[in-house]
């Protein structure tokens, strides 16, 4: 798929998931709307958090349009509509808003400035993440489409800025925005106002909005959040289509040790969905380094960074990537399902028995499952891997009288009976993945009651039942001898 000149692209709908973390650190600049997004930042969390109910759905709705530059034939993305307009902001708040709004256009059009007016254009749905200097995060949910009208015209993007991570739900909201866009911008306003006044539902709950559409009357729109929210932001289908189970496990192993990983693909959809799925395999841990599923051309030198990163690059930049000075990189060609570069030890990072357990679990019955079941089927073996290797962490956090916990690292990994498991965990506890996780655990008096903790308890119960059966079998054998 051509991603520079859109007039060359084939038809058909595509879904993108451009989940990009950047540091908003520069002031706004009229001639370069992406200037505020240039500096990359390590963030403390990759996996989008599971929010409780009660939060507002979004902060802004913006429309980003392409405007021709004063010189040359290129276009630049520019915000042409913003809701709500913030007034009476304090100086610091106004500066923060300006930095945020100046960064958005670059990521609404991540595939360059070589555009041409079109008569047909397939809609695209994608998202990105901006990280502010104080660590707060904003997610941009985007719908790119061709506005109504006669003759050739340029696409525009409707972008909803929110602090909440729930891609499926916001995709439905963008469906409603698109439906109203076909009538008039004025029809979008009351819908978004009603959404802004509604509270974001807790997992498994539904919020219903009342909305009037001319010639159609009053509509009631129900927005339901999945009951199990830890996978509501990911789709593993593209990753499974592009790579073998063995390759996925090697990518997981590289990510666990926080190495540099680059994905190459022609299509933005394939690129962004695969890298997002690869990062999601780390649950309950969070990628804490540079993470850009679709690298804009101006940020291509990211592949030269000495620190860990996980990035996606369009195939047309393959040679530039190959010619860049890089060390210890795993370079994944998603188009051909191959590794172009590797460290060489990817198959030996994980304990062999646990690696075989993951492989065997992935291969069982996946062809019979729905997309939701596929997500659970793929994620489950990797969660179980962490349950078996580090699921006993809570027993090795010693607390003082004030409630502050201190992790007993040496005792923790020595508690593992398997030498290969112990060897792996000794390396893993030195990563930021584990350090950030254990820091949160030290602050909390009780383990979080989430999906990971549920799987830990299930595993401990299975071990107890196995011991009980073994004792029973032993007594039976002794009785028979007597």
């Amino acid at each position: 798929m051509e991603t520079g000149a859109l007039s060359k692209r084939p038809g058909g709908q595509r879904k993108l998931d451009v989940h990009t973390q950047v540091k908003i650190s520069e002031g706004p600049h009229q001639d370069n709307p992406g200037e505020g997004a240039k500096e990359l930042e390590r963030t403390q969390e990759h996996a989008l958090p599971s929010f409780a109910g009660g939060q507002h759905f979004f902060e802004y709705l913006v429309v980003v349009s392409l405007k021709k530059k004063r010189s040359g034939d290129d276009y630049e993305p520019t915000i042409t509509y913003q809701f709500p307009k913030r007034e009476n902001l304090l100086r610091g708040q106004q500066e923060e808003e300006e930095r945020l709004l100046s960064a958005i256009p670059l990521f609404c059009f991540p595939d360059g400035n070589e555009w041409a007016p079109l008569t047909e254009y397939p809609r695209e749905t994608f998202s990105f993440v901006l990280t502010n200097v104080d660590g707060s995060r904003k997610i941009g949910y985007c719908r790119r489409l061709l506005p109504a009208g006669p003759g050739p015209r340029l696409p525009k993007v409707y972008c909803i800025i929110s602090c909440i991570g729930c891609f499926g739900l916001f995709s439905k909201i963008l469906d409603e925005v698109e439906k109203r866009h076909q009538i008039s911008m004025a029809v979008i306003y009351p819908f978004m106002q009603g959404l802004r006044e509604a509270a974001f539902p807790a997992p498994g709950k539904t919020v219903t909005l009342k909305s009037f559409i001319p010639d159609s009357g009053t509509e009631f729109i129900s927005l339901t959040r999945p009951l199990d929210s830890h996978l509501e932001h990911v789709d593993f289908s593209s990753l499974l289509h592009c790579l073998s189970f063995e390759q996925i496990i090697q990518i997981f192993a590289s990510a666990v040790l926080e190495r540099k990983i680059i994905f190459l693909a022609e299509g933005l959809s394939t690129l962004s969905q695969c890298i997002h799925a690869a990062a999601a395999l780390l649950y309950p841990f969070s990628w804490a380094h540079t993470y850009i599923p679709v690298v804009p051309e101006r940020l291509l030198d990211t592949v030269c960074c000495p620190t860990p990163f996980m990035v996606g690059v369009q195939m047309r930049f393959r040679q530039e990537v190959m010619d860049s000075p890089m060390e210890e990189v795993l370079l994944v060609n998603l188009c051909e399902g191959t590794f172009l570069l590797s460290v060489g030890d990817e198959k030996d990072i994980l304990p062999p028995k646990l690696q075989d357990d993951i492989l065997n679990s992935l291969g069982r019955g996946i062809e019979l499952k729905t997309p939701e079941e596929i997500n659970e089927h793929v994620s489950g073996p990797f969660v179980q891997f962490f349950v078996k290797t580090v699921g006993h962490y809570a027993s090795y956090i010693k607390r003082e009288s004030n409630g502050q916990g201190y992790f007993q690292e040496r005792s923790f990994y020595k508690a593992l009976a398997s030498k290969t498991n112990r060897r792996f965990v000794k390396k893993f506890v030195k990563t930021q993945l584990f350090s950030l996780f254990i820091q949160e655990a030290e602050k909390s008096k009780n383990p979080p009651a989430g999906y990971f903790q549920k799987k830990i308890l299930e595993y401990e119960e299975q071990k107890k039942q196995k011991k009980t059966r073994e004792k029973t079998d032993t007594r039976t054998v002794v009785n028979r001898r007597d």
Side-chain angles (χ1 to χ4, degrees):
M1 178 182 67
E2 285 285 332
T3 54
L6 293 189
S7 55
K8 297 180 182 179
R9 291 174 175 162
Q13 180 178 337
R14 299 189 298 276
K15 180 179 179 181
L16 314 182
D17 184 36
V18 186
H19 181 184
T20 307
Q21 295 182 348
V22 302
K23 179 178 180 181
I24 308 169
S25 58
E26 303 293 339
H29 194 288
Q30 289 294 325
D31 294 329
N32 192 348
E35 189 71 26
K38 281 189 174 180
E39 186 180 352
L40 298 173
E41 180 194 51
R42 279 187 196 170
T43 69
Q44 292 189 353
E45 186 169 80
H46 156 68
L48 294 177
S50 297
F51 291 87
Q55 298 196 44
H56 292 296
F57 271 87
F58 75 100
E59 294 187 13
Y60 298 100
L61 166 69
V62 299
V63 177
V64 179
S65 304
L66 289 166
K67 300 295 182 182
K68 201 160 192 176
K69 291 184 176 180
R70 294 172 184 171
S71 58
D73 296 326
D74 287 350
Y75 293 85
E76 64 179 359
T78 305
I79 292 176
T80 54
Y81 175 86
Q82 174 190 335
F83 169 79
K85 286 284 188 181
R86 297 282 182 89
E87 297 179 353
N88 302 320
L89 292 175
L90 298 176
R91 181 177 179 181
Q93 294 174 321
Q94 185 174 355
E95 290 175 351
E96 180 182 349
E97 180 186 72
E98 289 174 347
R99 285 193 295 267
L100 170 66
L101 295 177
S102 70
I104 290 170
L106 172 65
F107 295 99
C108 286
F109 288 89
D111 38 6
N113 297 325
E114 298 176 16
W115 298 79
L118 305 166
T119 55
E120 293 183 1
Y121 180 75
R123 70 176 186 173
E124 297 177 295
T125 302
F126 59 98
S127 63
F128 59 86
V129 175
L130 300 177
T131 303
N132 209 340
V133 289
D134 63 357
S136 62
R137 299 169 46 154
K138 314 284 187 183
I139 300 119
Y141 298 94
C142 302
R143 175 66 53 83
R144 192 155 72 182
L145 45 75
L146 206 61
R153 51 211 184 277
L154 292 164
K156 64 171 59 175
V157 175
Y158 286 87
C159 178
I160 300 172
I161 303 297
S162 175
C163 295
I164 296 170
C166 190
F167 295 127
L169 193 142
F170 276 93
S171 181
K172 186 174 181 180
I173 293 171
L174 287 167
D175 288 342
E176 297 297 330
V177 170
E178 180 179 358
K179 183 165 66 176
R180 286 156 179 78
H181 144 268
Q182 294 170 356
I183 302 171
S184 168
M185 283 295 298
V187 185
I188 296 176
Y189 172 83
F191 169 72
M192 296 304 294
Q193 181 63 35
L195 186 66
R196 184 169 170 76
E197 293 170 356
F200 189 71
K205 301 298 182 181
T206 298
V207 63
T208 301
L209 301 177
K210 183 179 178 181
S211 178
F212 177 80
I213 298 181
D215 300 328
S216 298
T218 300
E219 289 188 354
F220 292 91
I221 302 155
S222 295
L223 300 171
T224 302
R225 191 175 176 198
L227 184 61
D228 183 3
S229 59
H230 88 282
L231 289 176
E232 64 187 349
H233 61 283
V234 67
D235 180 356
F236 287 109
S237 300
S238 290
L239 192 67
L240 293 174
H241 178 74
C242 294
L243 301 170
S244 68
F245 293 145
E246 291 85 354
Q247 290 170 321
I248 292 172
I249 292 172
Q250 291 178 55
I251 291 169
F252 168 76
S254 297
V256 162
L257 292 189
E258 297 180 323
R259 292 182 173 179
K260 304 167 190 173
I261 307 174
I262 304 171
F263 293 84
L264 288 172
E266 294 284 357
L268 293 177
S269 177
T270 299
L271 193 60
S272 54
Q273 288 181 16
C274 285
I275 189 173
H276 191 61
L281 294 176
L282 297 172
Y283 174 87
F285 302 95
S286 302
W287 184 258
H289 305 278
T290 299
Y291 176 78
I292 316 178
V294 179
V295 177
E297 185 174 1
R298 70 179 65 177
L299 298 179
L300 205 56
D301 59 358
T302 301
V303 301
C304 302
C305 288
T307 54
F309 56 75
M310 191 183 297
V311 301
V313 177
Q314 293 167 260
M315 189 61 75
R316 61 195 176 107
F317 299 123
R318 169 178 170 170
Q319 197 56 49
E320 291 184 46
V321 170
M322 297 290 288
D323 293 341
S324 299
M326 302 180 295
E327 294 182 359
E328 295 193 336
V329 171
L330 180 61
L331 181 57
V332 184
N333 185 336
L334 293 170
C335 297
E336 299 177 2
T338 59
F339 293 163
L340 300 180
L341 295 172
S342 66
V343 177
D345 65 346
E346 287 82 2
K347 294 181 180 180
D348 304 319
I349 294 172
L350 305 183
K353 184 181 183 306
L354 296 184
Q355 186 165 275
D356 288 342
D357 288 346
I358 296 174
L359 189 59
N360 292 334
S361 295
L362 288 174
R364 285 198 290 265
I366 194 167
E367 68 281 351
L368 303 176
K369 299 181 182 296
T370 65
E372 292 75 17
E373 289 171 336
I374 288 175
N375 279 354
E376 180 62 32
H377 181 88
V378 175
S379 174
F382 294 96
V383 174
Q384 200 66 19
F385 170 85
F386 287 127
V387 167
K388 293 176 180 178
T389 51
V390 299
H392 57 300
Y393 74 93
S395 300
Y396 293 87
I397 297 177
K398 305 303 179 185
R399 301 199 176 276
E400 296 188 344
S401 56
N402 62 1
Q404 175 63 43
Y406 294 94
F407 180 59
Q408 310 296 304
E409 180 181 306
R410 183 176 173 82
S411 300
F412 167 71
Y413 63 72
K414 290 192 72 169
L416 294 165
S418 166
K419 287 184 179 180
T420 54
N421 290 6
R422 194 159 59 240
R423 194 178 303 121
F424 166 78
V425 171
K426 284 180 72 173
K427 294 179 181 178
F428 183 57
V429 296
K430 303 300 182 184
T431 64
Q432 279 203 13
L433 285 172
F434 187 81
S435 296
L436 294 173
F437 177 86
I438 212 67
Q439 285 171 20
E440 291 301 313
E442 287 174 330
K443 296 175 187 176
S444 176
K445 293 184 179 180
N446 298 303
Y451 181 81
F452 186 53
Q453 183 62 21
K454 174 186 173 184
K455 292 300 177 182
I456 290 173
L457 296 176
E458 288 177 0
Y459 180 65
E460 290 176 348
E461 182 61 29
Q462 290 170 3
K463 289 198 298 183
K464 288 179 184 178
Q465 292 177 0
K466 183 179 179 181
K467 285 184 179 180
T468 301
R469 286 195 302 269
E470 289 173 349
K471 288 180 181 179
T472 301
D473 293 343
T474 301
R475 284 197 296 267
T476 300
V477 171
V478 171
N479 290 337
R480 286 177 179 173
R481 288 175 180 172
D482 293 342

